[in-house]
Every structure is written in structure tokens, then in C-alpha cells.
Amino acid sequence: MINKVVSNAQEAVHDIQDNAVVMFGGFGLCGIPENCIQALLRSGVSGLTCISNNAGVDDFGIGLLLKTRQVKKIISSYVGENAEFERQLLSGELEVDLIPQGTLAERIRAGGAGIPAFFTPAGVGTEVAEGKEVREFHGKLYLLEQWLRADFALVKAWKGDSSGNLIYRGTARNFNPMMAAAGKITIAEVEELVPLGELDPNHIHTPGIYVQRIFQGQQYEKRIEQRTIRK
Amino acid sequence: MINKVVSNAQEAVHDIQDNAVVMFGGFGLCGIPENCIQALLRSGVSGLTCISNNAGVDDFGIGLLLKTRQVKKIISSYVGENAEFERQLLSGELEVDLIPQGTLAERIRAGGAGIPAFFTPAGVGTEVAEGKEVREFHGKLYLLEQWLRADFALVKAWKGDSSGNLIYRGTARNFNPMMAAAGKITIAEVEELVPLGELDPNHIHTPGIYVQRIFQGQQYEKRIEQRTIRK
Amino acid sequence: MLDKIGIAKRIAQEVKDGMYINLGIGIPTLVANYIPTKLNVVLQSENGLLGIGPFPTEVEVDPDLINAGKQTITMMPGSSLFSSSESFGMIRGGHVDLTILGAMEVSEQGDIANWKVPGKMVKGMGGAMDLVASAKHIIVAMQHCSKEGASKLLTQCTLPITGIKCVKKIVTDLAVLDVLPSGGFKLLERAPGVSVEEIRKATAGKLMIEGEIPEMVLD
Amino acid sequence: MLDKIGIAKRIAQEVKDGMYINLGIGIPTLVANYIPTKLNVVLQSENGLLGIGPFPTEVEVDPDLINAGKQTITMMPGSSLFSSSESFGMIRGGHVDLTILGAMEVSEQGDIANWKVPGKMVKGMGGAMDLVASAKHIIVAMQHCSKEGASKLLTQCTLPITGIKCVKKIVTDLAVLDVLPSGGFKLLERAPGVSVEEIRKATAGKLMIEGEIPEMVLD
């Protein structure tokens, strides 16, 4: 097997340059690459195009990179929980491309799987359809959507091994597996880096072939957005 | 959860009618729905269109249904190991549609995932491209391919629970997960039917939503085509 | 007139045994509390879970387990976890039996608007466009009129739409209505104490009333 | 002149550390035996495995673990298993670094024919069309001429083709050649004891010979 272990987040993101297109795994704050985001804050890289289902909150997740003005453009399905985001958007400092969540997931999946375009029904008849080819199949209308790929994909997994095999946990899986496949360079941070051979091959969610660098992250905060408790 | 357990293969396939379109999981003889095939032999249903990566061997797998002339058409990527198949094909008794393996897998995946058509590079410039739309993306040519769906999908898993959640084993996974999603009625036969809650939700390959009927199969032969041994 | 809980209770009556259901944020989430326990149904969360359970107790809270509203949740026995592309494959492929979601406007053709108000901050459509474009059956939970008294059941939507010709049934604070395939709202039931005339006044789109309209029965 | 093992050995020299490789049936499968053990490479089996190990011992045989040639196999530590759609997503997405496969004909444009002979029983293309359409680097293992002595390195393929403009390198019993992006076979090495003149005679397509052509070095 091929050893892809790097020592830390800083080393992993060292060559992410200004104006790079970067995918960030996660849904809300669940399953986001916390260590890589911190390392990008420290690297000071700017002009990033971020592809992420959400934009974090004011003081966590991608919200941190917004605050430091490191982000030029966001490609997301829902960006609602972020006041600084709203300010930058209204002032024209930030570009936003909103995409239906399933279309976003499938465009990223298509990028990783070498499918340059596909038809989907989401958005037919809405402003999302503007400028897109519409075609009828079996009596229903569909839009042609194109793949999404990125210079870098930053994903977060529960367990991983030195060859880049990954297992996610719970709903922290979300966009991570498709992004892992759609990054030219995919960087995986894991809660636990285990010895090669310890992960059951039958349980692996992301085969190592998609991952170029892997490291064990530190001090995961795993912030909860809506702590909802039953008495 | 919803209980989808039926008592046996005969009950599971009872409403597969003449001329049905049926998907069969498996690669070669690995991961094929042995019990369902036996039940179809006994039911005597005829005129089947079989979607399966391969066509079995003379006396096992789909080869059994060929011998009894229950098959009208086969949609496969490779059908090489079968003398009776060859005879019926040359005599015009059997229709065959050959599809590149990755295109077959993706067309079935698209069927389950509601993607009516997608672009793929496989087959560009070959006879597979005849009659198909060719389009250039990012300097490369691609063919437009359409989804495949079936009246019934017959899949084989290692473990399953009463709500239809499935876990496959080894390379016996192959086409089974996509077919499970692409069948109008999906019938899963499993080596072991376990109590609800016993399968780790994080390890499930096929979520139960895709499965309409499940039963524990019997007397799996799991025949090996090429028994290759190291001394 | 129904309150939010009343709307949720009435929608819960539409749930049938064996259904896989996606519940949107807001009133639809409340529906889960009123589904008869004798029914076996499975709730889908589009961020990657089939089998949403109740909210966790303090000790059960797991940051890796949230629903599409980002709330902490638990899993039912027999749950399964999957990626976002698998989740929307499930939705797009028509495997989810029922989608319940909120709306700002519905047209008599079944168009729905629920994601964007011109002039206000746009938060994004999330999964709503995928859900409405693909669901086999869509029930909308909404207020019949705006706070200003303007009807939200219209001939045509005035807000940017989320999907076309997709809504099949509407439950409002005033009534239960079907959207007919040929267009128009067909009045099925009145909320307790609400007259047909009140519903007629509150409905801007084409309203069809046939015979006696019964009052809803809620427990 | 090289035998099959010689061709496999020579192709093994093209393998670099860190590569993910798909090996076709026949000579390509033999290549695995000659990859230097100091290299870390991973073999992909398109039926759903990364990390093919050696054939099993009698007791290790597992009917649920086969390669694309339907042979029983084992797994290396660090292997992963996946579905056919994931496997071809990997291939189509360009994640596999090297594909080695057999051919019946190759054209000077890099077109390959290896799946069908008119008049003979058609068995199907299996995964070959997907592999040749998407691989980043393709090496073909083949005989330079047919049993009747006809060249298989042609100006244009005469058999139905599997893919266009995809072959980058060819290793035959006589020579190692590059297919140039602008068209033409560029002779790189001669098999032991084979002259440039013999290769010239055996090559029907455009052959480019520059300077001294070294003899292959095999151990």
C-alpha cells in the first residue's frame, strides 16, 4: 500500500494557493475539516472559492475564513446561519452561487466519477434553470447539470489508515465521500489514524485511491448548532 | 421499521410475470441470487429480459434459465462462458444487448437515483456510439446514455434485517447495490437474516428503503468459476 | 381555525403504514409527534439518515448525529446512514413515499414558492428543489393567508418558485384542499369552526366546492 | 524475441512507486509477478476491489473474493471493497494511474481493437471500453504479428475498435514503442536478438526510428 501520512494540517495544506477552488466536507458544522480550516486561517491564503453545502456560523467552520476575508466565492445550497456572510454578500465583497442540495451532491459525485454532465429534475421551471438545457425524458422535464471538481478537497473522517482509506461516523458522512473523489488533491483529516489492515475492507466508505494526504486531527470541538434535548 | 420478510424464494418471486424485465445481481457466479433463480426455474415464467453483467455458465446462474428457454433477451457486458447461450444467439432465439461494464453499472445507478441520462466517454468512436448523441466537454468526447430500470431486481447479500437493510461481503457486492435501487420491486435474498437493530447503521451498503421483500436463502452453492490456487 | 399543532395533527392523518417520509423544517417536523404509534413508518433526513428517532436525552447527545435542521437526534433500531449523494438519489429516484413541507405560496397548478423573498436575504434552497421535483406525494403545511390577510393560495405564485406542478395536497389553518391535476384547489375539509365562505374569501386561486364540506375530525 | 513472460517483465519496468494499476486478463495479469517488491503499488480489480493479493492457498479460497477474470484471489492489508458503479467511477474519474491490457490491433493514432472479431462469437466488451476511454496511461501487451505473420500495428484498425486515441505505449514480443500524440509508432527498444529491420517489416503502420535503438534490458 501507499503511505500518504503527513504530520499535521499545516503540512497538508501548505500548497493551497491564493484563488484555489477548495471543497469542504460537512453539513452545517457536522463532519467539517476543523483542523484544515484552522491551518488555512494561519496560512493566510486568500481569494478562495469554497464549495461547501453550508457556510458555517460566524465564529466556526467556513465562517472563520469569511471573517478574515479569505473567501472570494461560495458555492453552497444553504448559507443561512451567518451574519458576516450576509454583510459581505450585500456589500458585494462575496460572490455566491446557490445550488439545490441534491444537484450539488450529484455534481460533485459526477466530478469524481468522470461524468461531465447529467440530467436532473431539480429546479425545472425555476430561476435555477436559467441558461440551462431542458430536455424531456419519459414525459418529465429535466435540466442538464455539469460536474464540479476542485483543486483541493478537504474532508473529515472518523477513522483512516495510512493508505487513505476512510470510515465516517453517523451523519458526519454527508458530502465528504463525494468530495474526496472530486478533489485533484484530497486531504483527509481523521479523528483516529489506525494501522494499515485494521479497517475492515468491507466497511470502508472512501477507498484510499481518492486520498492524497492524511493526518490525525487534534482537539476536535465538534460544535453543535441546535442542541435539542428530550427530557 | 417496516417488516418486509417473506418466507421463501417462491413467495418472493410469485408475481414475476411473463415478459418481465428483471435485474440479477452478481459478477460471474459471485454474488448471484441463487435461490431466486431456482424459484424462477420452478415458476416457469418465460420471455424474461435479464439485465445482468454476465449470463452465468451452462449449468449455473442465469445459464439455467437459458437452458429452459425462459429468457428472451439479455442485457450484459460479457457473456463468454456459456455454450447454450452461443447456440441460442446464433440461431436467433435470443436477443443480446452488449453494454460496456462501467456504462451498465452507471445506467443502473442512474435508474435508481432518478437520473434519466448522463454523459460517459466509454464507447466513443465505436459501434456502441451508433445512434447516440455525442457531445464535447472540456475537450473530450462523451456519449449520452440513458438510465436502466427494471420491474424486478433480484439481489443477493450476506446479511440483512427485516426492514431490508443489506450488507454484502467481499467482491460479491458488485452490481447488487445499484440494482437494489433500480428495481420497481426489489427482492433481496440473504445468507443470514438478523434481528432488527443488529446491523451497524454505519456499515449498511443498501438502505432498506430500496428493498420490498427479503428472505433468508438456503443451500448456497457459491460455485467458483476459476479456482486458482497458490501452492 | 387550526394552530400549528392542529395542522400537524391533521397532516399526521395522511400518513399510511409502511411509508418512508421526509419532513421539512417547521410545522412538518411537528407531524412526527402525531403519527399513530401503531403505524410503521420511517423518517428520512436528507443529510444522510433513514430512521430518525426522538431527540436525545442529555447523555445521548452526539454531535455526529443531526437532522437536516441541524438538530441533535437519535436513531431508531434498523436505521441506516449514507452520503448526501445516496440520500438525494433516494429522493430523486422516487423512493421516498411522502414529502411534507412548508410554503409561502402555492398556485392552483400546484407550483410552490418557499425559498426566496425578493429584497430579503437569500439563504438558499437547501434540498427543497430536489424534494419537490421528485417526490411521489407532496403535502404542504401552511397558513392560508399572510399576516396582512392576503391569500397564499393563488392563481399564480408571485414569489420565485421552488418547483412546478408538484403539490398534491394542502393543509392550512382553515382547510384541507387537493390540488387537481387539471388545476384548481378542491376543498375537502373545513377547520373546526371555519365556514366555507371564510375559506372562499381567503382563497385567491380557483376554488372548487362540491356538495357538503365536512369539518375536520381531530382528536 | 520475447515470450509472454518476457513481455510481462518488460511492462513491469514501467510501473512506478505509488501507482494504482488495473491489469487486464492474459499477459497483463502476469505483470503483477514481476513488479519489484520495493515498489508500493495497488492493483485494482474492476469488479470491486483495491489491493489484490496473491492467489489463495487451498484453505484461503473464498468464493466471495474473485478478480475480474473470475479467479479466486486474496486481499492485501489496507484493501477496500466497493460496488461496480464506484469501481467504474474510479476508472472513469481518472483515479487509476495505469491500465495494462491486451489488444488484437493498435493503430498509429492509438486506437485499439480488442473485443470483437466479425464472424466469431461475440462475448462482449466487459470493462475494456470504459478502461480505454478513461485511463490516464495505457500500456498494451500484444504480439507484434498474427500467427499468419500479418502486422497488428496498423495505419488503421481493421477490427471493430474498443476505443480511439488512447494507447500510449505498446510492448510486443519484438519491441517497445510509444504512440505519438501526432500519430505514428516511435520505436524505443528492440527485444533481445531482434533487429530494427525485423521490426520495420513487422510494423504496417507508420514507424519512426531515431538514432540507435537500444536492446531491452531484462533480468
Side-chain angles (χ1 to χ4, degrees):
Chain A
M1 286 291 149
I2 301 155
N3 188 343
K4 297 161 182 176
V5 178
V6 295
S7 51
N8 55 36
Q10 195 181 342
E11 185 186 339
V13 307
H14 78 279
D15 54 352
I16 301 188
Q17 309 272 346
D18 289 354
N19 301 311
V21 177
V22 184
M23 289 178 177
F24 295 78
F27 182 95
L29 302 179
C30 182
I32 61 173
E34 296 186 18
N35 280 252
C36 284
I37 291 172
Q38 286 294 338
L40 289 176
L41 275 175
R42 270 180 255 121
S43 88
V45 62
S46 69
L48 296 176
T49 294
C50 299
I51 303 175
S52 166
N53 187 57
N54 309 94
V57 295
D58 275 322
D59 60 345
F60 205 61
I62 292 177
L64 295 169
L65 297 169
L66 285 167
K67 210 180 252 177
T68 50
R69 312 279 183 90
Q70 293 178 259
V71 182
K72 180 175 66 182
K73 182 176 179 178
I74 287 199
I75 299 174
S76 293
S77 86
Y78 190 80
V79 293
E81 339 284 2
N82 199 309
E84 174 65 13
F85 178 94
E86 187 164 346
R87 196 198 60 70
Q88 290 185 21
L89 183 62
L90 293 175
S91 70
E93 292 163 68
L94 185 67
E95 258 181 276
V96 179
D97 194 357
L98 292 171
I99 297 175
Q101 193 173 149
T103 299
L104 180 63
E106 190 65 15
R107 286 179 65 186
I108 297 167
R109 192 260 174 195
I115 304 284
F118 59 89
F119 285 94
T120 180
V124 167
T126 77
E127 63 186 59
V128 165
E130 281 166 25
K132 289 179 187 154
E133 179 181 335
V134 180
R135 197 183 291 198
E136 187 176 323
F137 293 93
H138 317 287
K140 182 168 174 165
L141 296 176
Y142 294 85
L143 300 183
L144 186 66
E145 295 280 2
Q146 306 223 4
W147 76 22
L148 273 174
R149 290 180 157 186
D151 300 320
F152 292 86
L154 311 181
V155 303
K156 153 71 172 52
W158 179 38
K159 293 183 179 180
D161 67 23
S162 59
S163 73
N165 291 309
L166 304 178
I167 295 180
Y168 308 96
R169 182 171 175 279
T171 56
R173 192 182 322 179
N174 55 66
F175 282 81
N176 284 294
M178 296 87 77
M179 288 183 174
K184 205 178 289 176
I185 303 285
T186 290
I187 300 168
E189 56 174 274
V190 297
E191 291 181 54
E192 195 186 345
L193 193 59
V194 305
L196 199 71
E198 197 170 284
L199 301 178
D200 184 337
N202 212 29
H203 295 163
I204 287 168
H205 297 133
T206 290
I209 191 170
Y210 297 124
V211 174
Q212 279 68 47
R213 299 171 198 165
I214 187 167
F215 67 95
Q216 183 168 309
Q218 293 181 332
Q219 297 176 300
Y220 281 103
E221 179 179 339
K222 294 198 183 182
R223 195 183 293 187
I224 292 172
E225 277 184 84
Q226 305 283 342
R227 191 182 189 87
T228 325
I229 304 288
R230 163 177 47 122
K231 271 126 217 161
Chain B
M1 289 288 150
I2 301 155
N3 187 343
K4 296 160 181 179
V5 177
V6 296
S7 51
N8 55 36
Q10 194 181 342
E11 185 186 338
V13 307
H14 77 278
D15 54 353
I16 301 186
Q17 310 272 345
D18 289 354
N19 302 310
V21 176
V22 184
M23 289 179 177
F24 295 77
F27 181 95
L29 302 179
C30 182
I32 62 174
E34 297 186 17
N35 279 254
C36 284
I37 292 171
Q38 286 295 337
L40 289 177
L41 276 174
R42 268 178 257 123
S43 88
V45 61
S46 69
L48 296 177
T49 293
C50 298
I51 302 174
S52 167
N53 187 57
N54 310 95
V57 294
D58 275 323
D59 60 345
F60 205 60
I62 292 177
L64 295 168
L65 297 169
L66 285 167
K67 209 180 250 176
T68 49
R69 313 280 184 91
Q70 291 177 261
V71 182
K72 180 176 69 183
K73 180 175 179 178
I74 286 199
I75 299 174
S76 292
S77 86
Y78 191 81
V79 293
E81 341 283 4
N82 199 309
E84 174 64 13
F85 178 95
E86 187 163 348
R87 196 198 60 68
Q88 290 186 22
L89 182 61
L90 295 174
S91 70
E93 291 164 68
L94 187 65
E95 258 180 276
V96 179
D97 193 357
L98 292 171
I99 297 176
Q101 195 175 146
T103 300
L104 180 63
E106 191 64 17
R107 287 179 63 185
I108 297 166
R109 191 261 174 195
I115 304 284
F118 60 90
F119 286 94
T120 180
V124 167
T126 75
E127 65 186 58
V128 164
E130 282 166 25
K132 287 176 189 157
E133 179 181 337
V134 180
R135 197 183 292 198
E136 188 177 324
F137 294 93
H138 316 288
K140 182 168 175 166
L141 296 176
Y142 295 84
L143 300 183
L144 186 67
E145 294 280 1
Q146 306 223 4
W147 76 21
L148 274 173
R149 291 180 157 187
D151 299 322
F152 293 86
L154 311 181
V155 303
K156 152 74 172 50
W158 179 37
K159 292 183 179 181
D161 68 23
S162 59
S163 73
N165 291 308
L166 304 178
I167 294 180
Y168 307 96
R169 184 170 173 279
T171 56
R173 194 183 320 180
N174 55 64
F175 281 82
N176 283 296
M178 295 88 74
M179 288 182 173
K184 203 178 291 178
I185 303 283
T186 291
I187 300 167
E189 56 173 275
V190 297
E191 291 181 53
E192 194 186 344
L193 193 60
V194 305
L196 197 70
E198 197 170 285
L199 302 179
D200 183 338
N202 212 29
H203 295 163
I204 286 167
H205 297 132
T206 290
I209 192 171
Y210 297 125
V211 174
Q212 279 68 47
R213 300 170 196 165
I214 187 167
F215 67 95
Q216 183 167 309
Q218 292 181 331
Q219 297 177 302
Y220 282 102
E221 181 178 337
K222 292 197 183 184
R223 194 184 293 188
I224 292 172
E225 275 183 85
Q226 305 283 341
R227 192 182 188 87
T228 324
I229 303 288
R230 161 175 50 120
K231 270 128 218 158
Chain C
M1 241 171 75
L2 298 179
D3 58 6
K4 287 181 180 182
I5 288 175
I7 295 176
K9 281 185 174 175
R10 178 59 192 81
I11 291 178
Q13 294 177 3
E14 301 292 316
V15 171
K16 293 185 184 68
D17 195 42
M19 275 186 167
Y20 288 89
I21 306 173
N22 182 288
L23 301 178
I25 295 167
I27 298 176
T29 303
L30 296 175
V31 173
N33 301 332
Y34 305 104
I35 297 172
T37 49
K38 67 173 196 285
L39 299 186
N40 289 301
V41 299
V42 180
L43 302 181
Q44 200 241 20
S45 194
E46 66 261 30
N47 57 319
L49 170 65
L50 272 172
I52 306 175
F55 291 132
T57 60
E58 193 70 52
V59 295
E60 287 173 334
V61 167
D62 181 346
D64 289 338
L65 212 53
I66 63 169
N67 65 17
K70 282 112 181 175
Q71 297 170 310
T72 46
I73 49 166
T74 60
M75 293 189 283
M76 301 294 284
S79 283
S80 55
L81 293 155
F82 36 83
S83 71
S84 300
S85 70
E86 182 78 40
S87 183
F88 281 93
M90 229 169 248
I91 289 166
R92 207 187 301 104
H95 303 281
V96 175
D97 300 298
L98 175 60
T99 290
I100 302 172
L101 76 177
M104 299 190 282
E105 293 177 351
V106 173
S107 84
E108 65 189 37
Q109 301 300 326
D111 300 350
I112 179 171
N114 72 349
W115 79 284
K116 189 178 182 179
V117 178
K120 283 201 187 171
M121 170 67 186
V122 181
K123 296 186 170 190
M125 66 293 279
M129 285 194 184
D130 308 274
L131 281 159
V132 301
S134 298
K136 278 190 281 194
H137 187 39
I138 297 178
I139 302 179
V140 164
M142 68 191 292
Q143 303 301 320
H144 213 105
C145 296
S146 68
K147 283 174 198 148
E148 295 74 30
S151 178
K152 296 172 155 194
L153 278 65
L154 305 170
T155 306
Q156 287 208 323
C157 292
T158 65
L159 296 171
I161 65 171
T162 311
I164 53 171
K165 294 186 184 173
C166 53
V167 177
K168 303 270 170 59
K169 192 175 283 266
I170 305 168
V171 179
T172 76
D173 50 338
L174 302 185
V176 179
L177 311 100
D178 268 354
V179 181
L180 297 182
S182 53
F185 302 106
K186 179 165 184 189
L187 184 59
L188 300 178
E189 298 176 20
R190 297 172 292 114
V194 175
S195 71
V196 167
E197 198 43 41
E198 284 172 275
I199 295 164
R200 195 195 306 269
K201 277 188 193 157
T203 307
K206 184 173 166 193
L207 184 68
M208 286 135 107
I209 303 163
E210 278 179 28
E212 275 302 298
I213 304 299
E215 195 172 282
M216 293 176 206
V217 179
L218 298 173
D219 28 78
Chain D
M1 240 171 75
L2 299 178
D3 57 5
K4 287 181 180 182
I5 288 174
I7 294 175
K9 281 184 174 175
R10 178 58 191 82
I11 290 178
Q13 294 176 4
E14 300 292 318
V15 171
K16 293 184 185 68
D17 194 43
M19 275 185 166
Y20 288 90
I21 307 173
N22 182 290
L23 301 176
I25 296 165
I27 298 177
T29 303
L30 295 176
V31 173
N33 302 332
Y34 304 103
I35 297 173
T37 49
K38 68 173 194 287
L39 298 185
N40 289 302
V41 300
V42 180
L43 302 180
Q44 200 241 21
S45 194
E46 68 260 30
N47 57 320
L49 171 64
L50 271 172
I52 307 175
F55 292 132
T57 59
E58 193 69 52
V59 295
E60 287 173 334
V61 167
D62 181 347
D64 288 338
L65 212 53
I66 63 170
N67 65 17
K70 282 112 182 175
Q71 296 170 311
T72 46
I73 49 166
T74 60
M75 291 189 283
M76 301 294 283
S79 283
S80 56
L81 294 156
F82 36 84
S83 71
S84 300
S85 70
E86 182 78 42
S87 183
F88 281 93
M90 230 170 250
I91 289 166
R92 207 187 300 105
H95 303 280
V96 176
D97 300 298
L98 176 60
T99 290
I100 303 171
L101 75 178
M104 300 190 280
E105 293 177 351
V106 174
S107 84
E108 63 189 37
Q109 301 301 327
D111 299 351
I112 179 171
N114 72 349
W115 78 283
K116 188 176 181 180
V117 178
K120 282 199 186 172
M121 169 67 185
V122 181
K123 295 185 170 191
M125 65 293 279
M129 285 194 183
D130 307 275
L131 282 159
V132 302
S134 297
K136 278 191 279 195
H137 187 39
I138 298 178
I139 302 178
V140 163
M142 66 188 295
Q143 303 301 319
H144 214 106
C145 297
S146 69
K147 283 175 199 146
E148 296 75 30
S151 177
K152 296 171 155 194
L153 279 63
L154 305 170
T155 304
Q156 288 209 319
C157 292
T158 64
L159 296 171
I161 65 170
T162 310
I164 54 170
K165 295 187 183 174
C166 53
V167 177
K168 303 268 167 64
K169 193 176 281 268
I170 306 167
V171 178
T172 75
D173 50 340
L174 303 185
V176 180
L177 311 99
D178 268 355
V179 181
L180 297 182
S182 52
F185 302 107
K186 177 164 188 189
L187 183 58
L188 300 178
E189 298 175 21
R190 299 172 290 114
V194 175
S195 71
V196 168
E197 197 45 41
E198 285 173 274
I199 295 165
R200 196 195 306 272
K201 277 188 191 155
T203 307
K206 182 173 166 194
L207 184 68
M208 286 135 108
I209 304 164
E210 278 178 28
E212 275 301 299
I213 305 298
E215 195 171 282
M216 292 176 206
V217 180
L218 299 172
D219 28 77

